[in-house]
Amino acid sequence: MITVDELFADDRRNPPPERSLPWQETRGGVTVVVEPKPHWAEDMTAFRLTDRAYCYYADWTLNGPRARFFRHPETSGEAVMAKARAMIAREIVGRWRT
């Protein structure tokens, strides 16, 4: 039986463009949650951990906390991470029951 934390740790072993689960990065005292790139997107998105704001991962990689963040009405990094953890937990429970 694998845990949610083990799945996240395993996914972090991949290079950022190949990850399928969100992860945290901190630079200059600012923490973001990076949302993996969907197949149709040009870049990944980095959401501030506790604030409803995002920037493009390329900008975050280049500028760190000086990246240009945009307001987002409903999503913070905490929300992105919580949603992903809940999805993985449901998947694990679903497989365990069958």
Side-chain angles (χ1 to χ4, degrees):
M1 179 70 116
I2 191 164
T3 68
V4 172
D5 290 332
E6 289 170 334
L7 283 169
F8 274 88
D10 186 51
D11 192 60
R12 281 192 301 274
R13 290 185 189 100
N14 296 317
E18 295 176 16
R19 294 179 186 173
S20 59
L21 298 172
W23 69 93
Q24 288 186 14
E25 289 187 10
T26 302
R27 296 184 186 169
V30 175
T31 301
V32 297
V33 172
V34 181
E35 189 171 46
K37 181 175 98 169
H39 66 88
W40 47 264
E42 291 183 30
D43 193 10
M44 293 180 279
T45 307
F47 289 89
R48 284 189 194 229
L49 183 63
T50 59
D51 189 22
R52 292 181 179 152
Y54 73 95
C55 69
Y56 295 104
Y57 186 67
D59 191 15
W60 170 256
T61 300
L62 185 63
N63 299 305
R66 293 183 311 282
R68 183 174 179 199
F69 283 87
F70 304 94
R71 300 295 304 155
H72 194 281
E74 48 194 56
T75 304
S76 68
E78 288 175 330
V80 170
M81 191 61 76
K83 183 178 177 181
R85 292 184 71 79
M87 178 188 69
I88 296 297
R90 281 191 308 270
E91 185 71 21
I92 289 171
V93 169
R95 290 183 187 271
W96 182 70
R97 287 183 182 172
T98 58

